[in-house]
Amino acid sequence: MTQRSNPLISVQGFFQHYSEIMATVVCAVLVFIGWICLQIGWVGLAFLALPIAYVIGGYGSAKDGLTTLVEEKQFDVNLLMIVAALGAAFLGVWKQNYSLIIDGGILILIFTLSGALESIAMKHTERNIEKSMQLIPDTVRVIDNQQEQQIQINQLKIGDVILIKPGEIIPTDAIILSGNSSINQAAITGESMPVDKTVGDQVFAGTLNGNGVLKLKVHQPPESSLIQRVIKLVEQAQTDAPPSQKFMEKFEHSYAKVIILTGLGLAIIPPLFLGWDWETTIYRALIFLVVASPSALLASIMPTLLSGIANGARHGILFKNGAQLEKIGRINAIAFDKTGTLTTGKLNIVDIIPMAGISETELLQLAVAVELVSEHPIGQAITQFAQEKNIPRITAVNVATQIGEGIIGKVDEDHIFVGKLEWIYQHNIYVSPELVEISDHLETDGKTVVWVAQNHQTLGLIAVTDTVRLEAKTLIKNLKKFGIEQVVMLTGDHQRTADSVAKQLNIDLVYANLLPEDKLTIIRQIKNRYPGVAMVGDGINDAPALALADVGIAMGGAGNDVALETADIVLMTDQLGKILKAIKLGRRANRVIKQNIAFSLLFIILLLIFNFLGLINMPMGIIGHEGSTLLVTLSGLRLLRN
């Protein structure tokens, strides 16, 4: 398999990436030449170099500013800078004070330099995306009629069988048909240790095969692979502005209008009514336009959030946009689904209790007949158990699932029900009191009980247990220490089973016997009590609650596709400890944003005071303004660190 390589794209990317730097360098050289020429009296050559410097350095800003003015009827920072630079140039020509032309050139130079440095800083996440793209091979080895052939990755179809040799990169998400190996998933999930995989396990595109030879079956299109979804979501996160950024951009337009009108007033009123000289007044008004510009304020937010998103992705935490990074830093209540979230979701059959006259094999046969099509962990556990015990299969028809309740189907002419006791009662099915008592004891021990009935008669029950995730107890403890005021568990299981798990994890508030709409109601109630609520889940029945919560968090490894699409944050591995990391990252991002905004405002105020006192000139104002912008950008990049 070969890696992606396109020289043309590489060359185009090079020029796109470095065009701002090249423009900055050329502008700097021309401004320097213009300054030298003025010092030695070569005014003609200076007047040739400096206009070119203005055009090369200011073209991008002028274009952006005029586009915003024409299309949106709004002023922005780019237009402020160009107006100030041109104003200095015209004032210099008018008064034959050529140093002012140099000042305007320096303004454009430093503004262009600042933009180039910001652009370089913001390329970090984009480079990570490109690296991820390079993880995917161009070609793949397909086995067809016992023959191997190389085809392009985009020619793969669902059902194709591909061969992966030791040390090769897996080209697409697939299921292992034969073989076993240790897979290095660090590039995708952030796991530092290789993961052992065997027949039936899923492997992900972009992961590295160890020493085993694997035959894989493609079960979804390559463009739907986990890595492709990650890439798309990170790209989306780069383009979707969070609420704070949108507010700041709206503020910019109104603020720019005020600054331009105030600048005009400062340039005209003092000479007309206070007797000030025109040159000094206009010069101070131009400096005012520069130092009052909100560039630093605008740079206070997005660099910080994008750095946080990149940091999270590196640790297996995928934020779908910057708004979610902000929000998770403000949560003070969190709700967890139980099965597959606080527990592993890998259920084991521990008790099979048939009624008199029914064998365990018959009970399992009927249960499996309807559960074969179920995606619920309990149904899959029953099916897997029966397969391991070599229980002969029988076929059910007209199978229908009632989410949160049970599943029903027909075997021959008999209706088979598998589900909760309350649901069994709803169908007017007789339930033995002795069996209810046994069920109560099983549930008291923390087991989940599934009832099996045929027509109007109970056939027996099956008890399963779920293993609590090892890190769940530590997470709950740390969340409380970290200031999360309320930790809640939501589950469709019986109250006793839920209480048993909650007791192990020290969760105080538990809601059981819940349907998806019930989880929605409870999340709504929690939101009425707490301003920031997160929901963590993995199943399709969690999707409504994930959507309603301020922040929805999905388990990426075992999560249902609907839950993954609905959630705001995806944990690429099923490591619950990443939730605390995400909260810390969110709080850190909010703290850095507040620091940046405070610093930006303070610097603007100080520069304005110095300008009115006549303590700074144009170059000093430019350096102060652009320096503060660069500082807050670099401050935001602190979130790239662990």
Side-chain angles (χ1 to χ4, degrees), residues 367 370-371 373-374 399-402 405-409 416-419 423:
V370 294
E371 292 285 12
V373 298
S374 173
V399 178
T401 300
Q402 295 189 21
E405 298 282 11
I407 190 167
I408 184 174
I416 305 300
F417 303 84
V418 182
W423 184 66

Side-chain angles (χ1 to χ4, degrees), residues 118-137:
E118 288 178 49
S119 176
I120 292 171
M122 299 323 301
K123 291 291 181 183
H124 182 86
T125 305
E126 187 174 320
R127 283 198 300 269
N128 284 346
I129 294 174
E130 291 170 354
K131 288 178 183 177
S132 297
M133 286 296 296
Q134 292 168 2
L135 292 174
I136 307 170

Side-chain angles (χ1 to χ4, degrees), residues 2 31 44 53 67 78 137 179 207 259 280 288 356 366 378 437 439 457 473 495 542 549 567 619:
T2 57
V31 169
T67 299
N78 294 295
T207 56
I259 294 302
T280 301
F288 170 81
L366 292 172
I378 293 178
E437 186 175 348
S439 174
Q457 178 66 41
K473 188 172 183 178
Q495 187 70 51
D542 299 318

